[in-house]
Amino acid sequence: AQSVTQPDIHITVSEGASLELRCNYSYGATPYLFWYVQSPGQGLQLLLKYFSGDTLVQGIKGFEAEFKRSQSSFNLRKPSVHWSDAAEYFCAVEGSSASKIIFGSGTRLSIRP
Amino acid sequence: EPEVTQTPSHQVTQMGQEVILRCVPISNHLYFYWYRQILGQKVEFLVSFYNNEISEKSEIFDDQFSVERPDGSNFTLKIRSTKLEDSAMYFCASFRGQGIANEQFFGPGTRLTVL
């Protein structure tokens, strides 16, 4: 069965520091991969997505993610975080076109001034 | 830019009451979905809908739940007799169904509170 693991429940980084949020997935083939961000009480905003091709994907707000097939990982990175990046981040997979999206349990990001 | 809309943004109901959550998907999209997120937890898939029928549903989507596309624009989720544990944020999503770039577009959500 498909699954997504986000091993870090809560991460705190200083403003201006770099960030990496981890995501591992379990699926027989290469799924479609996504990162979403959710501010408290708000909806889901798509940061970036990977379908095929270049394994380094650029997204909005200066985020990027790298797909590593050998590690079944899709880690999210940002070189310098801003206080406004404090939110919950969800990694997600979709096994095939039009199928359900499976979300990880999320990583809450706090920013230290 | 077209977007998925949901109404109401917040619904409060008494346990045992029926609720209908409404969604207007993007107009040329063919696939429709409901997800829910219990407070502090991850987003969970409930049901997908295509060609006027359910294409997949999760274990959560029991007989108390139903979906309908009553006209050409709305997509609804009905909970027949709400329970306390149905309190959650409910997200609607739609997908065009064509092209290789697959992306489900999510609505802003309806927060359901069951008292």
Side-chain angles (χ1 to χ4, degrees), chain A residues 4 23 32-36 74 90-94 101-104:
Chain A
V4 181
C23 173
Y32 303 130
L33 297 159
F34 308 87
W35 275 99
Y36 290 87
F74 189 56
F90 292 96
C91 181
V93 303
E94 184 175 358
I101 291 179
I102 296 174
F103 289 81

Side-chain angles (χ1 to χ4, degrees), chain B residues 42-73:
Chain B
K42 66 178 179 181
V43 179
E44 301 172 289
F45 167 77
L46 290 178
V47 65
S48 58
F49 191 85
Y50 170 72
N51 199 25
N52 282 319
E53 60 182 29
I54 291 173
S55 47
E56 186 177 4
K57 60 183 181 180
S58 72
E59 293 175 352
I60 303 167
F61 195 88
D62 62 21
D63 292 344
Q64 292 299 309
F65 291 88
S66 62
V67 289
E68 193 179 29
R69 189 155 161 81
D71 52 42
S73 59

